[in-house]
Amino acid sequence: MRALSIASTGMLAQQTNVEVIANNLANMNTTGYKAQRAAFQDLLYQNIQQAGAQTSDTGTLLASGIQLGAGVRTAAIYRMTKPGDIKNTSNPYDVAINGAGYFRVQMPDGTDAFSRDGNFQLSSAGQLVTQQGYTVQPGISMPPTATAVTITPAGLVQATIPGQVALQTVGQLELTRFPNEAGLRAMGDNLYAETSSSGAPQSGVPGSTGYGTIQQYFLETSNVDAVSEVTSLISAQRAYEMNSKVISTADQMLAQTAKLGG
């Protein structure tokens, strides 16, 4: 009985759906996290009677065929790239991107990674780094005598130096965009890597055409909508239950058939 295998694919798909929702809810307080969604596709069909097949010598045709589907599969788990809210933190090294773009950081192996998490700190050498100690690119170093930092919406980083009237410019933050953000590969630690699907990174100055601006003292929250996630969770649970009910019913039918045969 194919209903058993068909329903099992439905249960597996809903299990994946619940796992994606669980990961979204687990990261609803993660800085810059982008919610994911599972997308499903129906499996191949068995053609028992082809629509349009000739049904008589007079040329009459079958108006509709008979096709039996084999179930469902997970086609993709894609990322929702809409921005999260902006939250004030009062930390001078916290910066949020208001609009499009990613910060670029250098990994220990020399490769680049990208992030919406602007929760930056200073290293022991005074360099601007991520929470993991990865250098923000292009590299920016604060003078040891600096008493304050100012980061403009255009990403200009300036230091307050005792005895100097004017602020000292120490660097320029850049943002990176991709033709297809959904194609980025999540690496963990709020980082993404370029892939063939994302396209090549394109760097620009914050505030220029197509790039967001920088907001100092703010961080971007996750874009997880808790109400929407809970609603999706209930829907997935009901779908899982209904598929399990199909398996239970199919089992009862098989048992009844076995009794008739015995």
Side-chain angles (χ1 to χ4, degrees):
M1 181 171 288
R2 278 176 292 203
L4 287 171
S5 62
I6 293 172
S8 69
T9 66
M11 292 180 72
L12 286 172
Q14 293 309 320
Q15 181 178 320
T16 301
N17 196 14
V18 170
E19 289 169 351
V20 172
I21 294 168
N23 190 52
N24 288 339
L25 290 172
N27 284 286
M28 64 184 299
N29 290 322
T30 299
T31 304
Y33 175 79
K34 301 302 178 192
Q36 293 180 301
R37 288 283 179 272
F40 304 103
Q41 286 182 340
D42 49 355
L43 291 175
L44 294 176
Y45 287 80
Q46 180 185 6
N47 280 314
I48 297 175
Q49 278 190 325
Q50 183 69 42
Q54 188 168 330
T55 56
S56 71
D57 294 338
T58 59
T60 55
L61 302 178
L62 197 62
S64 59
I66 300 177
Q67 288 186 303
L68 280 178
V72 64
R73 71 179 182 93
T74 304
I77 298 175
Y78 61 94
R79 191 171 298 107
M80 311 289 286
T81 56
K82 70 173 184 178
D85 294 331
I86 303 296
K87 179 180 68 176
N88 192 321
T89 65
S90 302
N91 183 351
Y93 290 103
D94 284 346
V95 286
I97 301 172
N98 190 0
Y102 291 81
F103 296 111
R104 180 166 60 92
V105 301
Q106 187 176 55
M107 302 298 288
D109 61 2
T111 59
D112 286 336
F114 306 90
S115 178
R116 295 278 297 188
D117 182 1
N119 187 5
F120 298 143
Q121 300 173 4
L122 291 183
S123 69
S124 58
Q127 275 202 313
L128 197 64
V129 297
T130 66
Q131 293 183 70
Q132 295 79 27
Y134 305 148
T135 307
V136 178
Q137 296 295 313
I140 297 172
S141 295
M142 290 293 292
T145 55
T147 57
V149 61
T150 300
I151 303 175
T152 69
L156 198 64
V157 183
Q158 298 174 308
T160 301
I161 307 296
Q164 294 185 13
V165 176
L167 296 176
Q168 179 178 323
T169 300
V170 296
Q172 169 71 59
L173 286 174
E174 290 182 354
L175 296 178
T176 302
R177 294 192 62 188
F178 295 87
N180 174 30
E181 290 183 50
L184 291 171
R185 176 174 61 85
M187 304 168 62
D189 294 333
N190 295 351
L191 297 173
Y192 299 95
E194 170 193 355
T195 70
S196 300
S197 296
S198 69
Q202 302 161 3
S203 296
V205 175
S208 58
T209 304
Y211 293 86
T213 56
I214 301 297
Q215 283 193 259
Q216 188 184 17
Y217 299 105
F218 287 85
L219 287 176
E220 180 185 358
T221 65
S222 78
N223 66 354
V224 174
D225 181 343
V227 175
S228 174
E229 296 296 334
V230 171
T231 302
S232 298
L233 180 62
I234 294 172
S235 176
Q237 182 187 17
R238 293 291 177 245
Y240 189 90
E241 288 176 358
M242 286 187 278
N243 279 285
S244 67
K245 182 66 176 175
V246 170
I247 289 180
S248 176
T249 302
D251 181 53
Q252 292 172 8
M253 293 169 66
L254 285 173
Q256 191 65 32
T257 303
K259 285 181 182 177
L260 292 174

